[in-house]
Amino acid sequence: MNREERYRAARERYAEFGVDAGAAIRKLKEIPISLHCWQGDDVQGFEDAGPLSGGIQTTGNYPGKARTPEELMSDLDKALELIPGKKRLNLHASYAVFEPGETADRDALEPRHFKAWVEFAKKRGLGLDFNPTLFSHPKAAEATLSSADPEIRKFWVDHCKCCLRISEYFAEELGQPCLMNIWIPDGLKDIPADRFSPRARFAQSLDEILSIGYDKEKVLVSLESKVFGIGLESYTVGSSEFCLGYAASRGILPLMDNGHYHPTEMVSDKISSILLFFDRLALHITRSVRWDSDHVVLFDDETKEIAKELVRNDALGRVCLGLDFFDASINRVAAWVMGMRNFQKALLYALLCPNEKLAALQKEGDFTKLMLLQEELKTCPFGDVWDQFCRESGVPEREEWYGEVKRYEETVLSRRN
Ligand code: RNT
Ligand code: ZN
């Protein structure tokens, strides 16, 4: 059987469940996923403001990481060429592109410092998302938006205000909304004497940032929570409760990163609750291994379960999806391609589930048949539908994209040192 024949056979198998594989492919093509620029250079950025800090860590020494805007853009192009479907690009403030001889500290960043990225996005038809960078900077040594030092706190408030303007600029230039996600690393290694005051200051800082006013149609602001970081094991200011409470009370989006919870706590179980009380939500899709290790996203059970929650609750129009991992131990371009393709596989898997039928079985209390069908679905010819999606999208199928990455490694990446 050739691949088209395999797809036709797969379509018939899914039709037995009442699922239209062609419709699933068409839907998948419309789901935008934001590719995070920071996998390309181990979260380094272009400003030389200091080593990676904030309790996050890249490990590995794979050669060829991008060192300049040109290199990062070239690597992104290679990855984008091998990823099917609808893509956005997610930038951090530390990736400003300055004119020769120019620099600007984080509290002085302007839209023009991101003009090169806007041009990049325009040429490739990408939307842009943005993140203030509240780490890897001398003024982030102790704390940022929760700092007790009024000058430090003001510096970071001003930084986030700049970022709101830059996000607005992205939205205006590209004619589509920009998600601006705020995450702070603030926290403590050991048992706090006062958990309340830093959180009160954080809330005040956020209120000050949002008070400058921005077009809510153009910029979607989200707040990302976290349970711990390296050196911040006992307390994070931006805990889950803080961020949910703040987002709910101020009308911004909560952002859940699935590496930011206790290891047995699942984001897939949280989505339905968020959907009941928020209009929109944002997700960082990642993979944690024993801790918030930011491993490359795989086509694994939790990733599938997250995708299922989005599909069966009809939430795709209400969610901003972005990837967030940084693996320096493997080819970084391949990491991007695999992470994106794996999350798209999870979405396709969810779109190929007979969700209404399964929900009806739960409602009727027929848990035996529910188990039977859910298990049968796992061995349905999913790969043949995935291949068809890649084919229709004009990207290499199966593992065939890797040859291109290898060629790029040999001719470009391996020449960097
Ligand atoms: C850190 C958060 C945050 C960062 C990026 C670089 O734990 O997940 O999203 O990964 O901002
Ligand atoms: Zn994240």
Side-chain angles (χ1 to χ4, degrees), residues 38 43 56 92 135 183 224 226 257 260 284 292 324 326:
W38 52 93
V43 209
I56 53 179
H92 243 283
F135 51 85
W183 169 71
E224 179 178 11
K226 188 162 179 176
D257 176 314
H260 289 193
H284 272 181
D292 178 35
D324 183 13
F326 20 97

Side-chain angles (χ1 to χ4, degrees), residues 379-409:
T379 50
C380 274
F382 169 79
D384 296 327
V385 184
W386 169 252
D387 289 348
Q388 175 73 16
F389 170 65
C390 291
R391 203 154 49 239
E392 288 183 20
S393 306
V395 300
E397 296 159 46
R398 305 186 176 180
E399 70 278 21
E400 290 154 8
W401 57 268
Y402 185 58
E404 189 50 33
V405 171
K406 244 359 225 181
R407 199 195 57 78
Y408 185 71
E409 178 170 289

Side-chain angles (χ1 to χ4, degrees), residues 106-411:
R106 303 247 177 104
D107 63 342
L109 287 172
E110 294 176 40
R112 67 189 173 89
H113 297 129
F114 291 86
K115 192 165 175 273
W117 285 115
V118 165
E119 278 160 16
F120 180 88
K122 271 188 188 165
K123 276 203 192 116
R124 290 148 186 85
L126 305 167
L128 285 177
D129 296 310
F130 201 48
N131 303 263
T133 309
L134 296 123
F135 51 85
S136 303
H137 187 284
K139 290 206 163 86
E142 303 291 334
T144 63
L145 293 175
S146 76
S147 176
D149 178 335
E151 261 173 52
I152 297 281
R153 199 172 69 78
K154 180 172 186 304
F155 176 86
W156 292 110
V157 166
D158 288 345
H159 171 58
C160 292
K161 288 178 179 172
C162 296
C163 290
L164 266 180
R165 292 292 169 248
I166 294 161
S167 302
E168 244 168 5
Y169 160 71
F170 287 170
E172 276 159 17
E173 288 290 320
L174 300 164
Q176 45 186 309
C178 168
L179 177 72
M180 185 184 105
N181 176 52
I182 301 175
W183 169 71
I184 62 162
D186 300 16
L188 293 171
K189 181 186 178 75
D190 229 316
I191 303 161
D194 176 8
R195 292 182 170 86
F196 187 86
S197 304
R199 288 185 173 138
R201 287 191 293 268
F202 185 26
Q204 191 194 330
S205 297
L206 291 168
D207 284 346
E208 286 168 22
I209 294 159
L210 300 179
S211 78
I212 64 168
Y214 61 96
D215 187 336
K216 292 193 175 162
E217 301 286 309
K218 290 183 183 151
V219 181
L220 307 172
V221 176
S222 65
L223 188 60
E224 179 178 11
S225 66
K226 188 162 179 176
V227 67
F228 89 105
I230 300 173
L232 313 160
E233 288 84 0
S234 301
Y235 169 74
T236 54
V237 180
S239 62
S240 174
E241 294 74 13
F242 178 96
C243 292
L244 273 183
Y246 188 88
S249 60
R250 307 304 200 270
I252 64 167
L253 287 70
L255 186 146
M256 296 191 289
D257 176 314
N258 58 303
H260 289 193
Y261 297 88
H262 294 282
T264 60
E265 233 185 312
M266 295 297 154
V267 163
S268 55
D269 184 60
K270 300 177 187 296
I271 290 171
S272 48
S273 301
I274 301 292
L275 287 172
L276 282 167
F277 304 111
F278 289 87
D279 291 337
R280 284 172 184 270
L281 76 153
L283 295 177
H284 272 181
I285 307 294
T286 188
R287 177 166 55 106
S288 59
V289 179
R290 305 197 188 279
W291 67 289
D292 178 35
S293 57
D294 289 283
H295 280 64
V296 177
V297 170
L298 301 182
F299 182 48
D300 59 14
D301 284 349
E302 173 59 1
T303 311
K304 282 183 220 167
E305 206 58 28
I306 288 173
K308 284 195 231 165
E309 284 299 308
L310 297 173
V311 168
R312 63 196 173 195
N313 295 318
D314 203 15
L316 289 168
R318 295 165 61 190
V319 68
C320 300
L321 296 168
L323 302 187
D324 183 13
F325 51 79
F326 20 97
D327 190 337
S329 74
I330 60 174
N331 181 301
R332 293 171 186 80
V333 175
W336 266 326
V337 177
M338 285 193 278
M340 284 290 265
R341 288 174 71 124
N342 287 337
F343 187 49
Q344 288 170 324
K345 280 183 206 158
L347 288 166
L348 181 62
Y349 188 90
L351 289 163
L352 287 169
C353 285
N355 291 309
E356 281 171 24
K357 194 181 241 172
L358 298 176
L361 290 172
Q362 176 179 319
K363 197 171 171 199
E364 290 157 19
D366 193 346
F367 297 108
T368 312
K369 190 160 182 203
L370 179 57
M371 184 189 286
L372 170 75
L373 291 189
Q374 282 182 319
E375 288 305 299
E376 246 355 276
L377 281 161
K378 292 182 182 171
T379 50
C380 274
F382 169 79
D384 296 327
V385 184
W386 169 252
D387 289 348
Q388 175 73 16
F389 170 65
C390 291
R391 203 154 49 239
E392 288 183 20
S393 306
V395 300
E397 296 159 46
R398 305 186 176 180
E399 70 278 21
E400 290 154 8
W401 57 268
Y402 185 58
E404 189 50 33
V405 171
K406 244 359 225 181
R407 199 195 57 78
Y408 185 71
E409 178 170 289
E410 275 150 30
T411 55

